[in-house]
Amino acid sequence: RLERISVMLRGAVVPNLALSFRMAFRGLARAPGTTALAVAVLTLGLAAPVTFFSLLAGAIRPLPVPGGDRVARVEVTQPRTGGGKVPVTLQDLAIMRDAASMTRLGAFRAVGGTLVDPQLAATRVSAALLTAEVFPLLAVAPAVGRVPTSDEAETGVLLGFDLWQELYGGDLGALGRTVELDGRSRVIMGVMPDGFGFPFRQNLWAILPEAPGDDQAVELVGRLAEGASLETATAELAGRWVRGEEWREEARGGGAVEVRGFTGGRGERGEGVAFLGLVLVALALLLIACANVANLLLVRATERVRSLGVQAALGAGRIQLSAQLFLEALFLALLGGATGLLTAWVGIDAIQRSLAEEHFGYFWMRMAVDSRVMFFTSLLIVGTAVFAGTLPVLRILGVDLHGTLKSGGGGVAKGGSWGKGFVTTQLALSCATLAAAGLAALSLAGSSDLGEGVPGDEILLASLDPAAGAEMSGQAWDRRLAALEDGLSAVVGPGRAALALGAPGYGEAWGSFEVEGEEAQRPEDRRRVYWNAVTSAYFSLLDLELRLGRRLDPGDGTERRGVAVVSESFVERHMGGGDPLGRRIRVDGADAQAAFTIVGVVEDLKLGGNAEKRSERVYLSLSQISPRGAMAIVRAERDPAKLTPAVREAVAGVDSRIPLWSVRTLTDAHAYMIRVYRAIEAMALAGGIAGLLVATVGLYGLLAFRVRQRRRELGIRLALGAD
């Protein structure tokens, strides 16, 4: 009796795996078309979640420093205002600094600045001022040189690796050089390692002096002590925060302290939530793909009922046959997983190279097929095999294989009516998704076109800070702008160079405005318009014809009352088409004057895309706006990018301390501005097409299964003369 039980266990519970592998491989090889179709469907189904999971993992990965998962940030929010951030100061840091739950606690302040080396052109930098504790708690040492001490807070500076390469070509002789940072003399003392950009994507660092009375806001960062958790640190620091209530001003009182992983909550632009949503949508697509592959395998199983019956008659148990069918699904899942992973790797690499550097604003964000992605892919492959292989196994287990062999036919229990509804729903959702993605892509294609009226390929843009290096006020601001415009005009000719806050369709301000005598009763009822502050040559550079009154001229400076020029569509929509000259408007953000008198009307910019909403413009005089960053705009009919060295030289000729950055043509700038939206629409369009292909395979599987079930009926009808 024990011997018979042993034989049964070996034949039924412990199948011959080698034989099962061999039979499964032969089964797939005998139907190459079905195998290729199933692998293609699984490739589409697996590539999407792997890609989006990589994006999610890359967006929220720990800080890339030793023990980065223990580095935390300390935030204070105000429950009374719906969780808005409460500014934290160095005085607040002082009462929290010796907390037992933190080995170290420091502060940083991210700032922009201009770095000037007397022998080089001025460079715009993204800087961070760090208290003395921050570098030790990050456990990152300079690649060369050393970190300034607290006593060198006012004199030392560290460069980012890329900035060191850009300015000095990696020359070690840069150490010890004296440079100016926003007008203050500094000595280069070290260079941080390649890829380091704490706290976000900075490329220059200095020590933050803890001066008495410094009430500017900072952010707190610390390293959790051994055995401490985020919760215990939150509780301890909350108690310490309360100690400062007696001297803290009322606006910052009553805040709630929260300690979080440094990278975990940095989703100000919603990267983590967006990618998580994409992962869930992609998993739904994978679920549909698995169901359709299960349908394909079920069709294969129905066509092989007689073959399986022969195997059963020769002694194969149901477990043996089930293992064979399941291994077929596993082989398909492995092949689909491999090709899906390869497809995802190509997509991830393309996204990383084209988008991550500029648009994922934190230095720790890196999209790659790493160990986490591989583990996630492995889970998906196993889950796919289980899901896709279960349906055929359950159907075969419900069939009398011996009876089927005796009857000489093939019969699998009929499927329920769920298949029709399932496939119909797939097709409906896929078509709807594809239509929505197509319409969105069509809309984007229209809005991305600058239009025939704007020669984007002929216009070169360069961001600059005209006020850098000197205090600008009154006529000094007028002279600085005039000198810059004259220097640029010497490069390309009169009327072919101008300064402005933004360029057509790129960098222009969008704000509310009011016409005197037509003020809105409520702030939310105020109308909005694109506005720009420009120098006098802006209109001739863009060939904008004057329709009424006059254009801006060089005399419209700080000593005159504020003036404005508006577009034709602005007059038609907001002034009823009447005479606008002499009327006054107020524009939010243009803070140098209380109101601006309309002195002229110019033709509309013939922008592409949604032109009826983008053609309304208000142009103010750049001289009458408080000093701020601007754009140098030059126009050349051929290869404007070749003018970059000459433009840099012209700006340096006015003041070598003026930095120039983001030099590109208007076409490239506009493409840069919408590239994220283009990528999203491309992914949506690809997802819609993939969903439709997967649904089509589901329809094929369903019809093939129905035809297989009705083969005898169809044969009888053919015998009776049916065509």
Side-chain angles (χ1 to χ4, degrees):
R1 184 176 299 173
L2 290 175
E3 185 177 352
R4 288 199 300 270
I5 292 174
S6 176
V7 172
M8 291 173 62
L9 289 175
R10 287 198 303 270
V13 180
V14 186
N16 187 330
L17 291 181
L19 179 60
S20 297
F21 272 105
R22 190 163 61 251
M23 296 302 293
F25 181 77
R26 286 180 180 176
L28 293 177
R30 288 173 181 171
T34 302
T35 300
L37 188 59
V39 170
V41 170
L42 290 180
T43 297
L44 294 174
L46 286 165
V50 171
T51 299
F52 296 140
F53 179 79
S54 175
L55 299 180
L56 174 63
I60 60 175
R61 64 196 297 257
L63 208 61
V65 300
D69 57 334
R70 304 291 293 173
V71 178
R73 62 191 177 98
V74 182
E75 275 190 350
V76 183
T77 57
Q78 182 55 266
R80 296 196 305 263
T81 60
K85 287 187 179 181
V86 174
V88 178
T89 66
L90 293 175
Q91 192 173 4
D92 298 316
L93 171 64
I95 64 174
M96 296 184 178
R97 180 169 269 147
D98 58 347
S101 58
M102 293 280 185
T103 57
R104 283 188 173 89
L105 183 66
F108 64 86
R109 184 182 295 149
V111 296
T114 300
L115 184 70
V116 179
D117 186 312
Q119 299 180 15
L120 302 171
T123 304
R124 189 71 174 175
V125 295
S126 178
L129 305 178
L130 316 173
T131 58
E133 303 91 346
V134 176
F135 280 115
L137 76 84
L138 293 176
V140 177
V144 295
R146 62 179 179 86
V147 175
T149 65
S150 298
D151 296 335
E152 296 168 326
E154 298 287 350
T155 58
V157 70
L158 291 167
L159 300 184
F161 189 87
D162 290 343
L163 185 62
W164 178 48
Q165 294 290 331
E166 177 186 345
L167 295 181
Y168 302 105
D171 183 8
L172 293 177
L175 300 182
R177 290 180 68 98
T178 300
V179 295
E180 284 188 7
L181 179 62
D182 289 340
R184 293 186 177 182
S185 180
R186 299 271 186 171
V187 176
I188 300 175
M189 293 187 171
V191 178
M192 295 305 293
D194 187 15
F196 181 81
F198 183 87
F200 309 122
R201 193 179 287 278
Q202 273 59 43
N203 59 5
L204 184 143
W205 299 267
I207 301 300
L208 176 63
E210 299 187 42
D214 185 350
D215 58 355
Q216 295 186 53
V218 295
E219 291 197 54
L220 302 184
V221 57
R223 181 178 287 272
L224 293 174
E226 190 68 28
S229 65
L230 296 175
E231 291 74 19
T232 57
T234 296
E236 181 181 10
L237 295 181
R240 291 175 174 271
W241 175 265
V242 173
R243 297 180 189 176
E245 292 292 344
E246 58 184 26
W247 51 262
R248 193 174 294 120
E249 58 270 26
E250 183 178 354
R252 298 196 304 121
V257 176
E258 183 177 10
V259 181
R260 310 173 66 179
F262 190 85
T263 64
R266 292 287 180 185
E268 286 88 347
R269 287 180 282 180
E271 293 94 345
V273 175
F275 293 148
L276 178 60
L278 290 174
V279 170
L280 295 177
V281 171
L283 287 176
L285 176 63
L286 176 60
L287 187 64
I288 294 174
C290 290
N292 290 337
V293 171
N295 268 340
L296 290 176
L297 293 179
L298 180 59
V299 174
R300 285 277 298 127
T302 60
E303 294 174 347
R304 296 166 56 200
V305 165
R306 186 173 179 82
S307 172
L308 296 173
V310 171
Q311 294 183 50
L314 293 176
R318 291 187 179 274
I319 301 300
Q320 181 80 39
L321 297 177
S322 299
Q324 176 182 326
L325 294 175
F326 180 78
L327 286 174
E328 290 185 11
L330 180 60
F331 285 155
L332 291 175
L334 289 172
L335 288 173
T339 53
L341 185 62
L342 179 61
T343 303
W345 179 81
V346 173
I348 291 166
D349 183 65
I351 293 172
Q352 174 69 27
R353 286 187 290 102
S354 63
L355 293 180
E357 184 67 25
E358 290 112 346
H359 291 284
F360 299 149
Y362 308 124
F363 78 99
W364 63 81
M365 288 185 174
R366 180 178 60 84
M367 288 61 190
V369 179
D370 54 17
S371 58
R372 293 174 299 170
V373 176
M374 294 295 291
F375 178 73
F376 179 73
T377 305
S378 301
L379 291 179
L380 290 183
I381 290 174
V382 174
T384 298
V386 172
F387 190 97
T390 299
L391 181 59
V393 170
L394 292 178
R395 289 294 179 83
I396 292 301
L397 289 177
V399 175
D400 181 6
L401 295 175
H402 292 284
T404 298
L405 188 61
K406 292 176 183 178
S407 66
V412 177
K414 291 186 177 181
S417 60
W418 66 273
K420 297 178 182 178
F422 179 71
V423 173
T424 302
T425 302
Q426 282 187 64
L427 288 170
L429 291 177
S430 299
C431 288
T433 302
L434 184 59
L439 290 173
L442 184 63
S443 175
L444 179 66
S447 63
S448 64
D449 180 17
L450 271 174
E452 297 180 357
V454 181
D457 292 331
E458 299 178 10
I459 295 176
L460 185 71
L461 309 178
S463 297
L464 75 165
D465 182 6
E471 290 294 331
M472 289 288 118
S473 60
Q475 293 184 356
W477 178 235
D478 297 343
R479 290 193 296 270
R480 170 61 61 87
L481 295 179
L484 286 170
E485 188 173 85
D486 291 343
L488 295 172
S489 297
V491 174
V492 290
R496 287 314 208 199
L499 298 173
L501 292 184
Y506 177 74
E508 294 175 299
W510 170 255
S512 57
F513 73 96
E514 286 184 329
V515 179
E516 278 192 354
E518 300 177 5
E519 290 82 359
Q521 297 298 318
R522 301 178 303 170
E524 57 267 28
D525 293 334
R526 298 184 68 182
R527 293 168 288 180
R528 300 175 70 84
V529 71
Y530 282 107
W531 67 273
N532 203 351
V534 304
T535 56
S536 57
Y538 183 86
F539 303 101
S540 58
L541 185 150
L542 293 175
D543 299 325
L544 292 178
E545 295 184 4
L546 183 67
R547 302 300 194 203
L548 190 66
R550 68 173 178 86
R551 299 186 180 94
L552 300 176
D553 61 49
D556 292 321
T558 54
E559 301 300 320
R560 286 190 181 182
R561 297 182 62 182
V563 295
V565 172
V566 297
S567 65
E568 290 179 290
S569 59
F570 179 89
V571 176
E572 293 172 2
R573 181 168 182 178
H574 300 293
M575 295 186 169
D579 185 3
L581 300 184
R583 302 191 67 176
R584 295 170 63 82
I585 59 175
R586 294 183 175 85
V587 181
D588 283 353
D591 52 1
Q593 297 286 341
F596 298 87
T597 302
I598 298 175
V599 297
V601 178
V602 295
E603 67 172 322
D604 291 335
L605 278 168
K606 297 179 178 62
L607 293 170
N610 201 0
E612 67 276 8
K613 294 184 179 180
R614 299 173 59 198
S615 57
E616 301 162 24
R617 292 291 190 281
V618 172
Y619 303 98
L620 310 177
S621 172
L622 187 59
S623 294
Q624 296 177 337
I625 302 297
S626 59
R628 62 182 77 180
M631 285 184 187
I633 306 175
V634 299
R635 182 174 177 180
E637 294 182 358
R638 296 181 181 178
D639 296 327
K642 292 183 178 180
L643 297 176
T644 300
V647 169
R648 290 188 181 276
E649 185 177 347
V651 172
V654 175
D655 192 327
S656 62
R657 296 169 295 180
I658 299 178
L660 206 68
W661 70 97
S662 296
V663 183
R664 63 186 79 183
T665 65
L666 178 56
T667 298
D668 291 340
H670 193 260
Y672 167 82
M673 183 176 63
I674 65 170
R675 64 193 307 179
V676 169
Y677 305 104
R678 277 181 169 171
I680 292 174
E681 293 301 336
M683 287 189 287
L685 194 59
I689 294 173
L692 188 59
L693 292 175
V694 170
T696 302
V697 172
L699 178 61
Y700 164 78
L702 177 66
L703 292 178
F705 182 62
R706 299 298 184 192
V707 169
R708 181 64 185 84
Q709 286 182 319
R710 300 172 57 194
R711 183 173 295 177
R712 184 175 180 83
E713 171 201 338
L714 296 174
I716 293 174
R717 291 172 61 185
L718 285 170
L720 294 176
D723 194 346

Short mmCIF file of all heavy atoms in Angstrom, two decimals, residues 85-129:
data_model
loop_
_atom_site.label_atom_id
_atom_site.label_comp_id
_atom_site.label_asym_id
_atom_site.label_seq_id
_atom_site.Cartn_x
_atom_site.Cartn_y
_atom_site.Cartn_z
N LYS A 85 3.46 76.44 5.01
CA LYS A 85 4.76 76.38 5.67
C LYS A 85 4.99 77.60 6.55
O LYS A 85 4.67 78.73 6.18
CB LYS A 85 5.87 76.26 4.63
CG LYS A 85 5.97 74.90 3.97
CD LYS A 85 7.19 74.81 3.08
CE LYS A 85 7.31 73.43 2.44
NZ LYS A 85 8.52 73.32 1.59
N VAL A 86 5.57 77.35 7.72
CA VAL A 86 5.98 78.41 8.63
C VAL A 86 7.46 78.67 8.43
O VAL A 86 8.27 77.72 8.48
CB VAL A 86 5.70 78.01 10.09
CG1 VAL A 86 6.25 79.07 11.05
CG2 VAL A 86 4.21 77.81 10.32
N PRO A 87 7.88 79.90 8.18
CA PRO A 87 9.31 80.17 8.00
C PRO A 87 10.10 79.80 9.25
O PRO A 87 9.70 80.11 10.38
CB PRO A 87 9.36 81.68 7.72
CG PRO A 87 7.99 82.03 7.26
CD PRO A 87 7.06 81.10 7.98
N VAL A 88 11.23 79.12 9.05
CA VAL A 88 12.11 78.72 10.14
C VAL A 88 13.39 79.55 10.05
O VAL A 88 13.91 79.78 8.94
CB VAL A 88 12.44 77.21 10.05
CG1 VAL A 88 13.39 76.79 11.16
CG2 VAL A 88 11.17 76.39 10.12
N THR A 89 13.91 80.00 11.18
CA THR A 89 15.09 80.85 11.19
C THR A 89 16.23 80.16 11.93
O THR A 89 16.06 79.10 12.55
CB THR A 89 14.79 82.20 11.87
OG1 THR A 89 14.51 81.97 13.26
CG2 THR A 89 13.57 82.87 11.22
N LEU A 90 17.41 80.78 11.89
CA LEU A 90 18.56 80.24 12.60
C LEU A 90 18.34 80.25 14.10
O LEU A 90 18.91 79.42 14.83
CB LEU A 90 19.81 81.04 12.24
CG LEU A 90 20.30 80.91 10.78
CD1 LEU A 90 21.47 81.85 10.52
CD2 LEU A 90 20.71 79.47 10.49
N GLN A 91 17.53 81.15 14.60
CA GLN A 91 17.21 81.16 16.02
C GLN A 91 16.41 79.92 16.41
O GLN A 91 16.60 79.34 17.48
CB GLN A 91 16.44 82.43 16.38
CG GLN A 91 16.31 82.67 17.87
CD GLN A 91 15.69 84.02 18.19
OE1 GLN A 91 15.28 84.75 17.29
NE2 GLN A 91 15.61 84.35 19.47
N ASP A 92 15.53 79.47 15.50
CA ASP A 92 14.80 78.22 15.74
C ASP A 92 15.75 77.04 15.73
O ASP A 92 15.61 76.09 16.51
CB ASP A 92 13.71 78.03 14.69
CG ASP A 92 12.67 79.14 14.71
OD1 ASP A 92 12.23 79.52 15.80
OD2 ASP A 92 12.31 79.62 13.62
N LEU A 93 16.75 77.07 14.82
CA LEU A 93 17.72 76.00 14.78
C LEU A 93 18.47 75.88 16.10
O LEU A 93 18.76 74.77 16.56
CB LEU A 93 18.71 76.25 13.63
CG LEU A 93 19.93 75.33 13.56
CD1 LEU A 93 19.51 73.89 13.30
CD2 LEU A 93 20.90 75.81 12.48
N ALA A 94 18.77 77.01 16.73
CA ALA A 94 19.55 76.99 17.96
C ALA A 94 18.86 76.20 19.07
O ALA A 94 19.53 75.51 19.84
CB ALA A 94 19.83 78.42 18.41
N ILE A 95 17.53 76.27 19.15
CA ILE A 95 16.84 75.57 20.24
C ILE A 95 16.58 74.09 19.90
O ILE A 95 16.18 73.32 20.77
CB ILE A 95 15.50 76.25 20.58
CG1 ILE A 95 14.53 76.18 19.39
CG2 ILE A 95 15.71 77.69 21.01
CD1 ILE A 95 13.14 76.71 19.72
N MET A 96 16.81 73.69 18.64
CA MET A 96 16.60 72.30 18.23
C MET A 96 17.91 71.54 18.05
O MET A 96 17.92 70.32 17.95
CB MET A 96 15.82 72.25 16.91
CG MET A 96 14.42 72.81 16.96
SD MET A 96 13.60 72.56 15.35
CE MET A 96 11.98 73.25 15.68
N ARG A 97 19.01 72.23 18.01
CA ARG A 97 20.27 71.68 17.52
C ARG A 97 20.75 70.46 18.32
O ARG A 97 21.29 69.52 17.76
CB ARG A 97 21.31 72.78 17.52
CG ARG A 97 22.67 72.35 17.03
CD ARG A 97 23.56 73.57 16.83
NE ARG A 97 23.48 74.09 15.48
CZ ARG A 97 23.59 75.37 15.15
NH1 ARG A 97 23.71 76.28 16.11
NH2 ARG A 97 23.56 75.76 13.90
N ASP A 98 20.59 70.43 19.64
CA ASP A 98 21.13 69.34 20.44
C ASP A 98 20.11 68.25 20.74
O ASP A 98 20.19 67.57 21.76
CB ASP A 98 21.71 69.89 21.75
CG ASP A 98 20.65 70.65 22.56
OD1 ASP A 98 19.58 70.96 22.00
OD2 ASP A 98 20.91 70.93 23.75
N ALA A 99 19.14 68.05 19.84
CA ALA A 99 18.13 67.01 20.04
C ALA A 99 18.78 65.64 20.03
O ALA A 99 19.65 65.34 19.20
CB ALA A 99 17.06 67.10 18.96
N ALA A 100 18.35 64.76 20.96
CA ALA A 100 18.95 63.43 21.08
C ALA A 100 18.61 62.54 19.89
O ALA A 100 19.35 61.61 19.57
CB ALA A 100 18.47 62.77 22.37
N SER A 101 17.50 62.81 19.20
CA SER A 101 17.09 61.97 18.07
C SER A 101 17.86 62.27 16.79
O SER A 101 17.71 61.58 15.79
CB SER A 101 15.58 62.15 17.81
OG SER A 101 15.28 63.51 17.55
N MET A 102 18.69 63.31 16.82
CA MET A 102 19.47 63.70 15.66
C MET A 102 20.96 63.70 16.03
O MET A 102 21.36 64.31 17.02
CB MET A 102 19.07 65.11 15.18
CG MET A 102 17.67 65.20 14.63
SD MET A 102 17.60 64.60 12.93
CE MET A 102 15.89 64.97 12.50
N THR A 103 21.76 63.01 15.22
CA THR A 103 23.20 63.10 15.46
C THR A 103 23.72 64.49 15.11
O THR A 103 24.61 65.01 15.77
CB THR A 103 23.95 62.06 14.61
OG1 THR A 103 23.63 62.25 13.22
CG2 THR A 103 23.56 60.65 15.00
N ARG A 104 23.16 65.07 14.07
CA ARG A 104 23.47 66.44 13.70
C ARG A 104 22.24 67.09 13.11
O ARG A 104 21.43 66.43 12.46
CB ARG A 104 24.62 66.51 12.68
CG ARG A 104 26.00 66.29 13.26
CD ARG A 104 27.07 66.57 12.21
NE ARG A 104 28.41 66.53 12.78
CZ ARG A 104 29.15 65.42 12.87
NH1 ARG A 104 28.65 64.27 12.40
NH2 ARG A 104 30.36 65.45 13.38
N LEU A 105 22.11 68.38 13.29
CA LEU A 105 21.01 69.14 12.71
C LEU A 105 21.57 70.47 12.24
O LEU A 105 22.22 71.19 13.00
CB LEU A 105 19.89 69.36 13.74
CG LEU A 105 18.64 70.08 13.23
CD1 LEU A 105 17.91 69.23 12.19
CD2 LEU A 105 17.68 70.40 14.38
N GLY A 106 21.33 70.78 10.96
CA GLY A 106 21.83 72.02 10.40
C GLY A 106 20.78 72.71 9.55
O GLY A 106 19.62 72.29 9.50
N ALA A 107 21.20 73.75 8.86
CA ALA A 107 20.28 74.53 8.05
C ALA A 107 20.96 74.92 6.75
O ALA A 107 22.19 74.95 6.64
CB ALA A 107 19.82 75.78 8.80
N PHE A 108 20.12 75.21 5.75
CA PHE A 108 20.65 75.68 4.47
C PHE A 108 19.69 76.70 3.88
O PHE A 108 18.52 76.77 4.23
CB PHE A 108 20.87 74.52 3.49
CG PHE A 108 19.62 73.81 3.07
CD1 PHE A 108 18.86 74.26 2.00
CD2 PHE A 108 19.19 72.68 3.74
CE1 PHE A 108 17.70 73.61 1.61
CE2 PHE A 108 18.04 72.02 3.36
CZ PHE A 108 17.30 72.47 2.29
N ARG A 109 20.24 77.48 2.97
CA ARG A 109 19.44 78.49 2.26
C ARG A 109 19.88 78.46 0.80
O ARG A 109 21.06 78.67 0.50
CB ARG A 109 19.66 79.86 2.88
CG ARG A 109 18.82 80.98 2.28
CD ARG A 109 19.17 82.29 2.96
NE ARG A 109 18.81 82.28 4.37
CZ ARG A 109 19.48 82.97 5.33
NH1 ARG A 109 20.54 83.69 5.01
NH2 ARG A 109 19.08 82.91 6.59
N ALA A 110 18.96 78.15 -0.11
CA ALA A 110 19.27 78.11 -1.54
C ALA A 110 19.09 79.50 -2.13
O ALA A 110 18.06 80.15 -1.92
CB ALA A 110 18.36 77.11 -2.24
N VAL A 111 20.09 79.95 -2.89
CA VAL A 111 20.06 81.29 -3.47
C VAL A 111 20.63 81.22 -4.88
O VAL A 111 21.33 80.29 -5.25
CB VAL A 111 20.88 82.29 -2.62
CG1 VAL A 111 20.28 82.47 -1.25
CG2 VAL A 111 22.34 81.84 -2.51
N GLY A 112 20.30 82.21 -5.67
CA GLY A 112 20.92 82.38 -6.98
C GLY A 112 22.00 83.44 -6.87
O GLY A 112 21.97 84.29 -5.98
N GLY A 113 22.98 83.39 -7.75
CA GLY A 113 24.05 84.37 -7.67
C GLY A 113 24.85 84.46 -8.95
O GLY A 113 24.61 83.72 -9.90
N THR A 114 25.78 85.38 -8.96
CA THR A 114 26.67 85.59 -10.11
C THR A 114 28.10 85.42 -9.65
O THR A 114 28.55 86.07 -8.70
CB THR A 114 26.47 86.99 -10.70
OG1 THR A 114 25.12 87.14 -11.12
CG2 THR A 114 27.39 87.20 -11.89
N LEU A 115 28.81 84.52 -10.31
CA LEU A 115 30.21 84.26 -9.99
C LEU A 115 31.07 84.95 -11.05
O LEU A 115 30.86 84.76 -12.25
CB LEU A 115 30.49 82.76 -9.98
CG LEU A 115 31.90 82.33 -9.58
CD1 LEU A 115 32.12 82.58 -8.09
CD2 LEU A 115 32.13 80.86 -9.91
N VAL A 116 32.03 85.72 -10.60
CA VAL A 116 32.89 86.49 -11.52
C VAL A 116 34.34 86.17 -11.21
O VAL A 116 34.82 86.37 -10.09
CB VAL A 116 32.64 88.00 -11.39
CG1 VAL A 116 33.57 88.76 -12.34
CG2 VAL A 116 31.19 88.34 -11.68
N ASP A 117 35.01 85.61 -12.20
CA ASP A 117 36.47 85.46 -12.17
C ASP A 117 37.03 86.56 -13.06
O ASP A 117 36.60 86.69 -14.22
CB ASP A 117 36.88 84.08 -12.68
CG ASP A 117 38.37 83.82 -12.54
OD1 ASP A 117 39.17 84.70 -12.93
OD2 ASP A 117 38.73 82.74 -12.05
N PRO A 118 37.96 87.38 -12.57
CA PRO A 118 38.47 88.50 -13.39
C PRO A 118 38.96 88.09 -14.77
O PRO A 118 38.96 88.89 -15.71
CB PRO A 118 39.62 89.06 -12.53
CG PRO A 118 39.27 88.66 -11.13
CD PRO A 118 38.58 87.34 -11.24
N GLN A 119 39.39 86.82 -14.93
CA GLN A 119 39.93 86.37 -16.21
C GLN A 119 38.90 85.64 -17.07
O GLN A 119 39.22 85.18 -18.16
CB GLN A 119 41.13 85.45 -15.96
CG GLN A 119 42.26 86.13 -15.21
CD GLN A 119 43.42 85.19 -14.98
OE1 GLN A 119 43.52 84.14 -15.59
NE2 GLN A 119 44.33 85.59 -14.09
N LEU A 120 37.66 85.50 -16.56
CA LEU A 120 36.62 84.77 -17.28
C LEU A 120 35.34 85.59 -17.32
O LEU A 120 35.19 86.58 -16.59
CB LEU A 120 36.35 83.42 -16.60
CG LEU A 120 37.53 82.46 -16.47
CD1 LEU A 120 37.14 81.28 -15.59
CD2 LEU A 120 37.97 81.98 -17.84
N ALA A 121 34.41 85.16 -18.17
CA ALA A 121 33.11 85.82 -18.23
C ALA A 121 32.31 85.49 -16.98
O ALA A 121 32.49 84.44 -16.35
CB ALA A 121 32.35 85.36 -19.48
N ALA A 122 31.41 86.37 -16.61
CA ALA A 122 30.55 86.15 -15.44
C ALA A 122 29.66 84.93 -15.68
O ALA A 122 29.23 84.67 -16.81
CB ALA A 122 29.71 87.39 -15.17
N THR A 123 29.40 84.20 -14.63
CA THR A 123 28.62 82.96 -14.72
C THR A 123 27.49 82.98 -13.71
O THR A 123 27.72 83.30 -12.53
CB THR A 123 29.51 81.73 -14.47
OG1 THR A 123 30.61 81.73 -15.38
CG2 THR A 123 28.72 80.44 -14.63
N ARG A 124 26.29 82.62 -14.17
CA ARG A 124 25.16 82.50 -13.27
C ARG A 124 25.25 81.17 -12.54
O ARG A 124 25.45 80.12 -13.16
CB ARG A 124 23.85 82.57 -14.05
CG ARG A 124 22.61 82.67 -13.19
CD ARG A 124 22.52 84.02 -12.53
NE ARG A 124 21.26 84.19 -11.82
CZ ARG A 124 20.98 85.26 -11.07
NH1 ARG A 124 21.87 86.24 -10.98
NH2 ARG A 124 19.83 85.37 -10.45
N VAL A 125 25.14 81.18 -11.22
CA VAL A 125 25.26 79.95 -10.44
C VAL A 125 24.03 79.77 -9.56
O VAL A 125 23.32 80.72 -9.23
CB VAL A 125 26.53 79.98 -9.55
CG1 VAL A 125 27.79 80.00 -10.40
CG2 VAL A 125 26.50 81.14 -8.57
N SER A 126 23.78 78.52 -9.22
CA SER A 126 22.75 78.16 -8.24
C SER A 126 23.48 77.76 -6.98
O SER A 126 24.16 76.72 -6.95
CB SER A 126 21.89 77.01 -8.77
OG SER A 126 20.91 76.64 -7.83
N ALA A 127 23.40 78.57 -5.96
CA ALA A 127 24.24 78.40 -4.77
C ALA A 127 23.41 77.97 -3.57
O ALA A 127 22.18 78.10 -3.54
CB ALA A 127 24.97 79.71 -4.46
N ALA A 128 24.11 77.43 -2.58
CA ALA A 128 23.49 77.06 -1.31
C ALA A 128 24.42 77.49 -0.19
O ALA A 128 25.62 77.23 -0.23
CB ALA A 128 23.23 75.56 -1.25
N LEU A 129 23.85 78.15 0.80
CA LEU A 129 24.58 78.51 2.01
C LEU A 129 24.23 77.50 3.08
O LEU A 129 23.04 77.30 3.40
CB LEU A 129 24.20 79.93 2.45
CG LEU A 129 24.39 81.03 1.39
CD1 LEU A 129 23.93 82.38 1.93
CD2 LEU A 129 25.83 81.10 0.93
#
